[in-house]
Amino acid sequence: KDKISPECRSNLIDLINLRNVIVHNNGFIDEKFKNTKTFSRVEDLIEGELIFINIEQIDKYLRSVLKIIITVEKIFHDIFSAEMNKLIADHYFNNML
């Protein structure tokens, strides 16, 4: 959580909430969605009871997804690099018995 910006975190939460509205409600806004922080951040995308996603939103969410992928990859690489020799030795030692 502390590895990404609050904006990126909010974008990822919004993406999940929007996905749920689109997939489960065919884009129709329900009361559950209206009670989320996402609703206030995307009110300008709502027309009546429907939500319409534009190219700017898609770009913003895509950048946040890529940011979290890069962040997780870096953390994994740092951990794996530090443990790589031990993991390889353990693997060969345990498979020889």
Side-chain angles (χ1 to χ4, degrees):
K1 188 175 178 177
D2 61 330
K3 302 291 184 190
I4 59 172
S5 70
E7 178 187 6
C8 183
R9 196 170 333 136
S10 293
N11 288 342
L12 294 169
I13 291 168
D14 291 351
L15 181 60
I16 292 167
N17 287 333
L18 290 168
R19 178 250 176 226
N20 289 341
V21 165
I22 292 166
V23 169
H24 298 293
N25 296 356
N26 291 326
F28 283 94
I29 305 302
D30 60 4
E31 287 302 314
K32 182 178 178 183
F33 182 77
K34 287 180 182 178
N35 293 323
T36 66
K37 292 180 181 178
T38 298
F39 178 75
S40 62
R41 289 191 286 260
V42 299
E43 278 186 280
D44 58 322
L45 302 175
I46 298 170
E47 294 180 26
E49 295 297 314
L50 287 173
I51 189 157
F52 295 90
I53 306 300
N54 58 39
I55 194 70
E56 291 83 17
Q57 294 298 111
I58 293 170
D59 183 57
K60 178 174 76 170
Y61 297 135
L62 177 59
R63 280 185 276 118
S64 293
V65 168
L66 293 174
K67 176 66 176 166
I68 194 70
I69 290 170
I70 290 167
T71 302
V72 169
E73 190 277 333
K74 182 183 178 334
I75 293 167
F76 174 80
H77 182 268
D78 291 347
I79 292 170
F80 181 74
S81 293
E83 298 289 323
M84 180 177 57
N85 292 333
K86 179 183 176 302
L87 292 170
I88 292 169
D90 286 348
H91 171 76
Y92 283 107
F93 179 73
N94 290 327
N95 286 329
M96 291 177 72
L97 297 177

